[in-house]
Amino acid sequence: MENIRQTKTPWQYLTPNKDALVNEFVGKPLNDLRTPALIVDRAAFKDNCTKMHQNAKDWGASFRAHLKTHKTVEGSRLQLISDVDKTSAVIVSTMMEAWEVVRGGLVTDGTVKDLLYGLPVGLNKLDDLSALHKEMTKHGGTVRIFVDSLEQVKFLEEYEKKQAKLKRWSTFIKVDGGQKRAGTSLKPESFRPFINTVFASPVISVYGFYSHAGDSYGSTSLEQAVSYLTGEVRLANDAAAMALEVLAESPNKDAHNQPFVLSVGSTPAAHSASAKAKITSELHGILELHAGNYPMLDLQQLHTTLIDHPRISQRVLATVISYYPGRGKDGLDEAMCDAGAIAMSKDTGRMPGFGNIVGKSWRLGRISQEHGTLEQMTPDLATGETDPTLNVGDIIQIVGQHACLIAAGHPWYYIIDSDVKGGADKVVDIWVPWKGW
């Protein structure tokens, strides 16, 4: 481990100039934009953020906003402050996001006070994390990390021994809920010695236990989503219960957060949080709800039945560039558009295709890097008719499968606002997302 080289975040090289983009595009009608273009309705985005605050409040939990979907200063403010509630706790997926939270003024003005780096701690990023920690504490904030391996603990100890002043890292223990992504196993024979070693470390203060309800994306009803959410609480609570038993015999017990924070959620699971879904069993900590996709939403979320179409705040504008009568299945028509995998991602979901065309019975059925094949849908069962054909040159709007990866392919977002008179059909702002790692 001694040879692991430290790396820095190259934030100063990547971000386009927002002022120049605003001067160029604000006021333009959508049909004047170069396609493909990602459009975000600020009104729907804001409303989704308000609803999530209400969910957490009704469920009896604090809320931690994941910034990974939109990766913008403007979107972060809407996620953190609403008419219903506010939070200063965030989670980020990259160090670039973390530093852009700081550079965007969200730390100095107190909007963000609690920042969790959302991957198991990268050993080559400790210099960077330490610098971030210093910057956050300067403004009264804190940085938290994930640990799910004793190798991370060992390296953190080695790293801190070389520093002028040893610090304790505020740490979530990431637990595996069966998805086999990040997380340590809760099998007692492995978890008890693991958490005992963590508690004994002079460089870690356990803040709580964190789980991600990835299985909830398979929900197709409110009841299923509630079941996933409740199961995830049970997982984090079981971790806390075992940890408390071990901690009771630890000489280091005063160094760890009490009560533990039980952080659970995903967008589908968080959509099911409500007063009716409140946890009634005994908890060995306090609840925190987290989610990230919910401000934008997509077809994956639509399939859960927990949202309706108007709540989806993002779509991609594309231009029809060619047409192929009768080429599709059962003699249906096909067409080509200028939005491909870079603009839409190649993520799929339980709904067929890579995206649905807004207001038309067409879908984005096949996809290449920079173009997509549009497929005419089967005839309406009641009338036997198909949707009118598309025309070359038409501007269409596509709602894709996964907003997080769709947004990642666009250098900036064109913001509209359906709550502003005339704002639904023209650009009212530009949001520039944070790119890189």
Side-chain angles (χ1 to χ4, degrees), residues 62-65 67 80 87-92 101 106-107 110-117 136 139-145 170 172 207 261 288:
S62 61
F63 184 67
R64 183 178 296 271
L67 311 183
L80 296 173
T87 178
S88 60
V90 302
I91 176 172
V92 298
V101 165
L106 295 168
V107 174
T111 302
V112 173
K113 297 179 181 178
D114 180 336
L115 190 151
L116 170 62
Y117 175 55
M136 288 288 295
H139 298 284
T142 190
V143 170
R144 307 193 198 280
I145 60 172
S170 179
F172 269 112
Y207 183 69
V261 172
E288 176 184 270

Side-chain angles (χ1 to χ4, degrees), residues 281-360:
S281 56
E282 180 186 2
L283 293 176
H284 301 290
I286 55 176
L287 286 176
E288 176 184 270
L289 188 65
H290 57 252
N293 177 279
Y294 66 94
M296 284 187 162
L297 302 173
D298 46 41
L299 292 187
Q300 289 183 356
Q301 302 297 336
L302 187 65
H303 184 266
T304 68
T305 73
L306 301 172
I307 66 162
D308 54 16
H309 208 286
R311 288 187 60 183
I312 301 175
S313 67
Q314 58 78 29
R315 63 257 197 197
V316 173
L317 289 189
T319 303
V320 179
I321 57 176
S322 195
Y323 200 87
Y324 312 103
R327 193 182 73 172
K329 184 179 179 181
D330 298 327
L332 294 171
D333 295 353
E334 292 187 338
M336 182 172 288
C337 70
D338 59 358
I342 303 299
M344 298 300 306
S345 95
K346 279 196 169 183
D347 268 14
T348 57
R350 288 170 171 81
M351 300 179 77
F354 296 93
N356 286 349
I357 314 308
V358 176
K360 297 182 180 295

Side-chain angles (χ1 to χ4, degrees), residues 353-403:
F354 296 93
N356 286 349
I357 314 308
V358 176
K360 297 182 180 295
S361 296
W362 287 73
R363 68 172 170 235
L364 184 61
R366 303 192 301 277
I367 205 163
S368 298
Q369 179 173 325
E370 300 294 357
H371 65 269
T373 300
L374 305 170
E375 299 174 343
Q376 195 174 32
M377 305 289 277
T378 53
D380 181 90
L381 293 177
T383 65
E385 297 178 355
T386 56
D387 217 30
T389 60
L390 298 172
N391 296 305
V392 173
D394 283 353
I395 305 294
I396 56 175
Q397 299 184 10
I398 309 173
V399 173
Q401 290 282 3
H402 188 188

Side-chain angles (χ1 to χ4, degrees), residues 190-207:
S190 59
F191 182 76
R192 287 178 180 273
F194 167 82
I195 198 66
N196 186 56
T197 302
V198 171
F199 283 147
S201 175
V203 302
I204 289 177
S205 175
V206 176
Y207 183 69

Side-chain angles (χ1 to χ4, degrees), residues 15 34 51 55 65 74 90 105 373 420 424:
T15 306
R34 168 64 63 88
K51 284 183 169 68
N55 282 18
E74 298 89 345
V90 302
T373 300
V420 175

